[in-house]
Amino acid sequence: MTDAMMALYNNVGRILRRKYPESRSKIGAMAYSNMTLPPRKLTSVEPNIVMWLAPIDIDPNHAMDDRRSPPRQEYRAMMERWSRLMRGRLAIYDYDQGMLVWRDLPAPSHHVFARDVKIYRNAGILGLQTESRGAVATTFLNLFFRGQLMWNPDADMRALLSDFYPRFYGPGAEPMAEYWNAIYAAWEGTICTEHEYFVAPAIYTAELVVALKSNLLKAQALLAPLRAK
């Protein structure tokens, strides 16, 4: 199917270049990873065609170089094949993990994106566009980290977090750092390769919820004098 689709795009791109050689127009096409495998027979794509690759329905909890996730390794091979074919004209339609959980629970994604963005850079990806949600309880720092990593794939996430906690939480920084670091560790350590609501109990275990509540109570006690003023 993809060979036929790309043959169509190639023909249109070729006609456009022949009829209007001075045109700077580009033809954009979307490749969804769950249905648009890289073409097998096609060996070149017209230079006025740009592709977006969207990793839809692909495990959002693990990076492309994580051996615990065969689906993400499969996606990496797909992405690298598309990138070689497009020769610098492949962009990624990126999904923030929070968008895929659909519950107002923290769904951090920087532990995945921090590794993936380096792989994208090495593969010669043209750029990224992120789809996310306005649910701050779910996304929280996700887009901040994505912006930092798109600007500098080697940005130090731990250093950014160490700077963030005291600036954002003030006297409550220490217990809130424990709170968020526990959530981040739970997501980073999970073996779940799915998304949506049914993975929540596997990540937010009863033990984790008790620990998080304790952290919040400590932070509230430290912040109480400020509220009293």
Side-chain angles (χ1 to χ4, degrees), residues 14-217:
R14 197 174 299 117
I15 291 170
L16 177 64
R17 292 203 301 134
R18 186 175 68 247
K19 285 190 173 183
Y20 307 101
E22 301 301 319
S23 174
R24 298 173 61 186
S25 297
K26 302 294 182 185
I27 299 171
M30 180 75 81
Y32 284 100
S33 61
N34 61 343
M35 60 185 297
T36 318
L37 296 174
R40 294 184 176 275
K41 298 179 181 179
L42 201 74
T43 57
S44 64
V45 177
E46 290 295 306
N48 54 351
I49 295 174
V50 178
M51 294 292 295
W52 289 91
L53 176 60
I56 191 169
D57 289 339
I58 295 288
D59 170 17
N61 302 326
H62 301 93
M64 285 184 278
D65 59 353
D66 194 324
R67 294 184 178 180
R68 294 175 298 174
S69 178
R72 290 290 285 179
Q73 293 178 324
E74 183 181 9
Y75 164 69
R76 178 180 182 175
M78 185 187 308
M79 179 273 295
E80 290 175 340
R81 284 175 58 193
W82 269 115
S83 184
R84 288 192 296 270
L85 180 67
M86 296 307 301
R87 299 179 182 179
R89 287 173 286 113
L90 179 68
I92 302 299
Y93 191 96
D94 171 54
Y95 295 98
D96 167 41
Q97 183 175 336
M99 193 278 298
L100 297 172
V101 176
W102 294 110
R103 290 296 182 274
D104 287 331
L105 292 168
S109 56
H110 64 276
H111 61 289
V112 173
F113 193 74
R115 292 163 66 172
D116 282 352
V117 72
K118 296 179 178 65
I119 297 172
Y120 286 140
R121 174 185 60 187
N122 295 339
I125 294 301
L126 178 63
L128 298 103
Q129 172 180 308
T130 298
E131 178 179 330
S132 186
R133 297 175 62 202
V136 179
T138 300
T139 58
F140 194 47
L141 292 176
N142 290 7
L143 298 182
F144 167 73
F145 283 131
R146 268 176 159 74
Q148 293 293 318
L149 289 163
M150 288 179 190
W151 184 259
N152 174 20
D154 297 312
D156 186 338
M157 296 294 96
R158 293 184 182 277
L160 289 171
L161 279 170
S162 296
D163 180 66
F164 168 79
Y165 292 133
R167 288 176 181 269
F168 193 80
Y169 291 110
E174 186 174 342
M176 289 311 298
E178 293 177 2
Y179 173 89
W180 283 109
N181 289 339
I183 291 175
Y184 295 153
W187 279 93
E188 191 167 1
T190 184
I191 60 171
C192 293
T193 59
E194 297 295 332
H195 52 77
E196 309 304 345
Y197 67 93
F198 47 77
V199 305
I203 296 172
Y204 288 96
T205 63
E207 294 79 8
L208 177 60
V209 171
V210 169
L212 296 178
K213 184 177 181 179
S214 175
N215 296 142
L216 288 175
L217 291 174

